Amino acid sequence: MRVVISLLVIGVASPAFALSQPDGTQIPAHPSQHNLWDLFSGLGEPIDPVGDAADVPETYTPSCQLNFTLLSRGGAGFMNAFGWYNVVDGGPPALSDLHVLLDCNAQPPTSVPLAIQSSGEFGGGQIGFFLITPQGQSSTCASTSNVGDVYYSQKEYNPDNGLQGGQSYIHLLTYDSKLAPATFYFAWEDLFNGGDNEFTDFVAKVDGIRCAGSGGACNTGKQGICALGTYQCVDGALTCVQQFQPQPESCDGIDTDCDGAADNDAGCPSGQYCVSGQCQPPCGSGELGGACPSGETCDNGHCVDTACQGVTCPSGQTCRAGQCLDPCGGVVCPLGQSCAFGRCVDPCSVVSCGQGEVCQDGLCRDSCQCAGCDASLACAADGRCVPQACVSTACNQGTSCAPDGGCVDDCLGAVCPTGQTCSAGVCRAIPDAGQGSGSSGTSGSTGSGGTSGSSGHASGSSGTSGTVTFPDGGHGSSTGTKSSGCGCDAVDGGFALLALFAVALRRRRSSAIDQPDAKDP
């Protein structure tokens, strides 16, 4: 049987309240002309200008390649200028750090690309956005040399902050695109202490930015696989978005129907029972009954650790020597994998990254061709930072390149979950293994066939679809060549759906042969 699991993202509803100015005016206004409703409709964006309006986030994480597009100047009399700045502690950016991308002469639909990492102006952290207006100046063309007022995405720095009874007029509405990832719309109101509240004085789209913290693994607070989430921008706010809907139970030791109990109603072949995530024949007397291994006792037709007879453990735990324990306790997974629910999985096995990104620890990050590497490392062709000696090294499947340029068995130092042993870089079930023993040791087998990419990180061939098919057998293997992109191979046994959550549950193994990641932008 093949298990097909669709990767589903459950949306989060828009805010239940609209934003308003200090005088109680709901924003944005809806005039007959120059309004956000017509603008978003013309773009095909299913955005509600009122319900989806936000004044957050105030700062952003840039990718390597940004694109600034002017969409509207509305009916504004000012010729405003728009750009970005480096976020620093202690106050607003210096005038010299206001980098104008759309100047006062730009007209819709002017589009300006920015390779921010190589611009020489980027400080390596978060960025904010600004609008320069010429209010009060003799010239209507705003620039860093003709400044009336400057309004910032960090609204505490606005010149009219706190002047209206301790409150501030809102000058910027942000909209998270519903069509394009890592894309935001910025709609500005450009008059000091308020205006007509249409927020079309200057409207720009910026591609290649995301909320600070986006993409990280998170726990939704639900049970089983429904706990798996990732932080995403939703209506401008960082939100833990559920990644999987409940699935029918299978005998795998995992709560896939999200009811708080693993393997309940899980199907097994005729005459077998689901015990500790495995289908087993009954024990005891009778034609089909058999003896249990040493140290185990037949309990209601199932072989269990003698000390665990009659013990019922909470969901997510397993009984060993009479105690309910974390099934990942004491487990050290093969290189590049993490332990989740007693299984070693490749965190990148269900992640599909965009162009110019690579998967590391289950998250999509800018490739090192864009983000660069630490001084002691080199950028490999697959987009990951590696030791200098590994740039031209190709290792067999199940091995990875060490800092000295040699190929090291991925199983080195691995301690697999109970009933498994490490072979060819994968923790595999030991045939006829008992259920009550401790974690198994490593195996010296290194595997053969297939070559790795120069980084020695586990990921499969590039390109995936939104549906992942998992064949029966093994536990957390990653096959094929180690190549760029993050269209990673399917993980055996159906455990890949836990891969991202594993990052939040269990730190990756640490050893001298771990390969470093590319620098974060």
Side-chain angles (χ1 to χ4, degrees):
M1 179 182 71
R2 298 175 66 84
V3 182
V4 180
I5 298 178
S6 297
L7 306 188
L8 303 174
V9 176
I10 299 176
V12 178
S14 297
F17 57 90
L19 293 175
S20 61
Q21 297 286 26
D23 61 5
T25 302
Q26 179 179 290
I27 54 177
H30 190 168
S32 59
Q33 294 182 328
H34 306 306
N35 64 72
L36 293 177
W37 282 260
D38 291 343
L39 187 149
F40 288 134
S41 176
L43 294 172
E45 281 277 10
I47 290 176
D48 176 0
V50 171
D52 293 331
D55 57 359
V56 292
E58 296 189 344
T59 64
Y60 299 80
T61 299
S63 61
C64 289
Q65 185 65 47
L66 278 62
N67 199 65
F68 291 69
T69 303
L70 176 59
L71 300 176
S72 172
R73 285 190 180 272
F78 295 152
M79 300 304 291
N80 302 311
F82 173 73
W84 68 277
Y85 62 90
N86 291 287
V87 172
V88 296
D89 295 331
L95 189 64
S96 60
D97 192 33
L98 298 183
H99 308 289
V100 174
L101 266 295
L102 295 168
D103 63 23
C104 65
N105 295 310
Q107 294 296 322
T110 298
S111 185
V112 179
L114 173 65
I116 192 168
Q117 304 281 350
S118 58
S119 67
E121 300 168 332
F122 179 51
Q126 301 297 305
I127 64 172
F129 296 90
F130 67 87
L131 186 77
I132 302 177
T133 80
Q135 188 169 4
Q137 302 298 305
S138 58
S139 170
T140 60
C141 181
S143 68
T144 54
S145 59
N146 185 45
V147 179
D149 292 307
V150 183
Y151 300 105
Y152 303 90
S153 56
Q154 291 176 279
K155 48 186 173 289
E156 64 181 298
Y157 300 145
N158 288 341
D160 55 3
N161 178 51
L163 297 182
Q164 181 68 29
Q167 301 182 60
S168 299
Y169 277 91
I170 296 174
H171 288 274
L172 171 63
L173 296 179
T174 62
Y175 295 92
D176 189 3
S177 172
K178 298 182 184 296
L179 298 180
T183 297
F184 281 81
Y185 297 94
F186 296 87
W188 296 88
E189 188 63 45
D190 65 358
L191 290 179
F192 183 87
N193 254 11
D196 57 17
N197 291 314
E198 295 175 4
F199 286 84
T200 55
D201 295 336
F202 194 100
V203 183
K205 180 179 74 166
V206 180
D207 301 284
I209 56 175
R210 53 189 181 271
C211 293
S214 291
C218 60
N219 191 323
T220 65
K222 298 183 179 181
Q223 300 185 96
I225 64 169
C226 296
L228 171 61
T230 56
Y231 284 116
Q232 300 179 23
C233 286
V234 178
D235 296 320
L238 201 61
T239 305
C240 187
V241 178
Q242 183 176 326
Q243 293 295 295
F244 294 97
Q245 289 184 331
Q247 305 287 332
E249 287 282 3
S250 58
C251 186
D252 54 13
I254 300 168
D255 178 15
T256 52
D257 63 3
C258 305
D259 66 352
D263 295 343
N264 54 328
D265 300 322
C268 282
S270 178
Q272 294 191 12
Y273 301 91
C274 183
V275 181
S276 300
Q278 294 185 0
C279 289
Q280 300 178 2
C283 58
S285 60
E287 182 178 350
L288 297 177
C292 292
S294 175
E296 297 187 8
T297 300
C298 188
D299 184 9
N300 294 321
H302 311 314
C303 289
V304 299
D305 187 328
T306 300
C308 292
Q309 188 173 9
V311 176
T312 301
C313 292
S315 178
Q317 295 188 4
T318 187
C319 182
R320 293 177 183 165
Q323 294 184 316
C324 293
L325 304 172
D326 176 0
C328 285
V331 172
V332 179
C333 289
L335 185 64
Q337 299 179 30
S338 299
C339 185
F341 295 93
R343 301 291 188 271
C344 286
V345 292
D346 173 8
C348 287
S349 55
V350 292
V351 181
S352 181
C353 296
Q355 185 176 3
E357 295 182 323
V358 293
C359 181
Q360 295 177 319
D361 297 334
L363 304 179
C364 291
R365 300 179 180 178
D366 291 319
S367 68
C368 59
Q369 283 87 357
C370 164
C373 299
D374 291 336
S376 62
L377 304 174
C379 185
D382 68 355
R384 294 172 174 82
C385 294
V386 299
Q388 298 282 349
C390 291
V391 171
S392 58
T393 300
C395 297
N396 287 333
Q397 181 180 336
T399 67
S400 297
C401 183
D404 63 2
C407 293
V408 180
D409 188 354
D410 288 343
C411 288
L412 183 64
V415 181
C416 290
T418 299
Q420 299 178 31
T421 187
C422 193
S423 174
V426 177
C427 285
R428 307 178 187 276
I430 301 173
D432 300 323
Q435 296 301 307
S437 61
S439 297
S440 64
T442 62
S443 167
S445 175
T446 60
S448 61
T451 58
S452 72
S454 54
S455 74
H457 279 269
S459 67
S461 56
S462 60
T464 61
S465 64
T467 300
V468 180
T469 302
F470 304 110
D472 294 334
H475 299 289
S477 67
S478 178
T479 58
T481 60
K482 300 175 182 177
S483 61
S484 62
C486 202
C488 311
D489 285 355
V491 171
D492 291 345
F495 301 114
L497 57 91
L498 299 165
L500 291 179
F501 194 41
V503 178
L505 294 176
R506 182 68 47 189
R507 293 176 296 179
R508 291 183 63 204
R509 66 177 281 192
S510 174
S511 74
I513 62 172
D514 275 353
Q515 304 299 328
D517 296 332
K519 292 192 298 184
D520 287 330

